[in-house]
Amino acid sequence: MNIAIVGSGYVGLVTGACFADVGHHVICVDNDQRKIAALQNGRIPIYEPGLQEVVQRNVSSNRLRFTQDIKDSVANSQIIFIAVPTPPRADGSVDLTYIEQVAREVSEVLTEYRVIVDKSTVPVKTGEKVADTIRRYNKIGADFDVVSNPEFLREGSAVADLMNPDRIIIGSNSDRAIALMKKVYEPFMAPVLVTGINSAELIKHAANSFLALKISYINAISAICDASGADVEKVADGIGMDRRIGRQFLNAGIGYGGSCFPKDVAAFIHISEQLGVPFTLLKEVQRINAGQKERFLKLIRDTLWVLREKKIAVWGLTFKPNTDDVRSSVAIELVDAMLREGAHVSVYDPKGMEKARELKAIADAKFAASALEAVDGAEALVIATEWNEFANVDFAAVKQRMTTPIVFDGRNLLNPETMGELGFHYHSIGRASVIPR
């Protein structure tokens, strides 16, 4: 099929590349001239495992191309996916400026039947607004259908998630549009759920909010484990063995971050309030998440006593491993907080250094060239992102380089007993601290 995807960020680029990889002909459209020029020259603006290879393979096969020309893209595509940013506002609502802009641009060049698909994460009833906008600005009354097709991609495994999805949601009341969408997804072996547009739009916010709830739940349990001497990892294992619950997302740590969970939870709270059915449970999810970072900072303060003039190494800046995304990263917030208290912070991340350097909040940090360089002379090490690289570091060498061997593991990445045997003062989340004699 011939497909256009408007927006070439994480969602749009991965979706376009994977659609091309299963045989569709895809045009990725973006109004960012530098981004399009980079993509046309083979440079991928984001780090996502496997993405570069997929893009290069399909550009070479002439199934994937990049342009700024939305008129040509609409004219030569049966289906137009909208995959532009939907940033949060201060009150938790979603800024739909880019969605409205694309809907209007499409409407002005639409001359015959097309399916317009909301791929971006949007509040319920957005599809209705998109349809209203296209009808308002399309002067010739061209026929079209609007579909909601939420994405469920996890940064760090987005290519694998799209190629092997748990489910495909198609929100539409049009048999014609549903048939075309099923044809798009025919190469993907996954169950398809057809719903109305409003139900499809709610599914994404409801799913992400539930996952955030699981994270906050186990983080609340970790505080109880700290107070009672229990081990949160064993408790999570025992809970997760129940097939009705599952072990995924029951990982205690310093809280969730990134461009999805904080935004989607806040948006769902705002949506529910606007509909007159406040979702107060999600406010507690937010409170626990914010409190987890503060609990971890308190642990660091209580152990080191005074942070001013202390040299602290931080491993990890991205909000999760296998991505270069530092947006709404708890790791960045931790570095910022320690810098504000006068600490000298040395940071390292396998993929996030370039984007982190652009952040004013941590401009005063020292950016190290390696994990070992970061700990030179450090009085404490903070593990803020659970990169596999950090689990495989030579900790005997780490201890030799540090002034005092104190580790704060915010992601429970390491084994407490092993760290104790190596002579580290080791602190983690919801597990007993190890203090060598």
Side-chain angles (χ1 to χ4, degrees):
M1 299 186 70
N2 296 320
I3 295 170
I5 299 181
V6 184
S8 297
Y10 279 94
V11 173
L13 185 56
V14 172
T15 302
C18 291
F19 279 175
D21 212 39
V22 298
H24 298 306
H25 292 271
V26 180
I27 307 170
C28 284
V29 191
D30 203 285
N31 61 4
D32 186 332
Q33 184 177 357
R34 288 185 299 176
K35 181 186 290 185
I36 291 298
L39 288 165
Q40 288 172 338
N41 288 305
R43 298 193 304 275
I44 308 300
I46 58 175
Y47 173 74
E48 186 65 39
L51 179 60
Q52 184 159 352
E53 294 81 0
V54 177
V55 170
Q56 290 175 344
R57 180 165 61 244
N58 288 284
V59 168
S60 298
S61 300
N62 295 317
R63 288 193 301 268
L64 178 64
R65 63 185 178 94
F66 306 98
T67 182
Q68 289 182 267
D69 190 341
I70 195 166
K71 182 177 181 179
D72 173 71
S73 302
V74 171
N76 290 287
S77 303
Q78 298 158 284
I79 301 180
I80 297 94
F81 286 81
I82 302 176
V84 293
T86 52
R89 294 193 178 106
D91 63 355
S93 63
V94 177
D95 184 351
L96 297 173
T97 300
Y98 300 118
I99 297 286
E100 193 271 348
Q101 180 180 334
V102 172
R104 183 165 178 171
E105 289 176 357
V106 169
S107 72
E108 291 171 348
V109 297
L110 191 65
T111 59
E112 57 184 316
Y113 180 80
R114 294 289 184 266
V115 176
I116 317 298
V117 184
D118 271 338
K119 195 69 173 171
S120 304
T121 300
V122 295
V124 64
K125 294 184 176 294
T126 298
E128 297 174 3
K129 296 293 186 182
V130 169
D132 288 343
T133 299
I134 295 173
R135 279 192 290 267
R136 182 178 304 124
Y137 292 102
N138 184 257
K139 302 302 183 183
I140 64 172
D143 193 14
F144 69 92
D145 281 309
V146 173
V147 172
S148 175
N149 175 224
E151 53 84 15
F152 300 99
L153 307 181
R154 298 168 296 170
E155 289 185 38
S157 59
V159 172
D161 288 344
L162 202 145
M163 297 302 286
N164 301 282
D166 290 332
R167 76 288 205 195
I168 295 160
I169 308 297
I170 299 172
S172 176
N173 295 319
S174 162
D175 291 339
R176 185 179 183 184
I178 292 167
L180 286 169
M181 290 297 294
K182 285 184 175 180
K183 190 174 180 183
V184 170
Y185 283 104
E186 196 173 277
F188 300 89
M189 302 301 293
V192 175
L193 176 65
V194 177
T195 74
I197 291 181
N198 291 352
S199 296
E201 290 170 337
L202 269 179
I203 286 169
K204 178 60 186 289
H205 277 118
N208 274 1
S209 295
F210 184 77
L211 295 175
L213 184 152
K214 286 188 76 173
I215 295 170
S216 283
Y217 180 83
I218 200 63
N219 278 335
I221 295 293
S222 76
I224 297 172
C225 289
D226 281 333
S228 65
D231 184 331
V232 73
E233 296 293 316
K234 299 299 183 184
V235 173
D237 287 342
I239 296 170
M241 289 172 74
D242 187 326
R243 287 175 294 180
R244 298 169 300 175
I245 299 172
R247 184 62 172 81
Q248 286 187 309
F249 289 86
L250 289 178
N251 297 308
I254 50 178
Y256 60 78
S259 62
C260 290
F261 283 5
K263 176 174 77 76
D264 290 353
V265 171
F268 207 16
I269 291 170
H270 187 270
I271 290 165
S272 67
E273 289 175 345
Q274 291 294 105
L275 293 171
V277 282
F279 205 158
T280 54
L281 174 62
L282 291 185
K283 291 186 177 182
E284 186 64 11
V285 169
Q286 287 181 318
R287 189 194 68 78
I288 293 170
N289 193 60
Q292 198 71 358
K293 179 190 72 177
E294 293 304 320
R295 245 180 14 105
F296 190 62
L297 281 169
K298 183 177 185 300
L299 172 63
I300 296 172
R301 294 188 193 104
D302 289 349
T303 305
L304 300 182
W305 189 20
V306 175
L307 296 191
R308 182 169 295 280
E309 302 301 328
K310 291 284 195 312
K311 182 172 182 181
I312 301 173
V314 176
W315 286 356
L317 295 171
T318 55
F319 82 95
K320 64 181 291 188
N322 298 320
T323 179
D324 61 352
D325 196 349
V326 295
R327 291 176 294 175
S328 298
S329 170
V330 181
I332 298 293
E333 294 173 8
L334 287 172
V335 173
D336 180 31
M338 291 186 288
L339 287 170
R340 288 176 183 272
E341 294 190 33
H344 301 292
V345 184
S346 179
V347 301
Y348 171 74
D349 188 279
K351 293 294 180 182
M353 299 288 272
E354 184 178 347
K355 290 184 177 177
R357 289 179 192 273
E358 300 173 1
L359 302 176
K360 292 182 180 179
I362 63 168
D364 293 333
K366 176 187 175 184
F367 289 81
S370 68
L372 286 177
E373 181 183 302
V375 300
D376 278 337
E379 294 163 82
L381 165 64
V382 174
I383 300 176
T385 311
E386 62 274 33
W387 286 91
N388 284 337
E389 176 182 326
F390 301 151
N392 297 315
V393 170
D394 181 352
F395 277 91
V398 170
K399 185 182 178 185
Q400 286 182 339
R401 287 171 176 256
M402 294 182 72
T403 300
T404 51
I406 302 173
V407 174
F408 300 96
D409 186 351
R411 298 298 182 182
N412 288 358
L413 181 66
L414 308 176
N415 183 286
E417 290 183 6
T418 302
M419 296 302 289
E421 290 170 359
L422 288 169
F424 283 92
H425 293 245
Y426 177 77
H427 308 273
S428 54
I429 307 293
R431 303 186 296 180
S433 295
V434 176
I435 310 295
R437 294 183 179 179

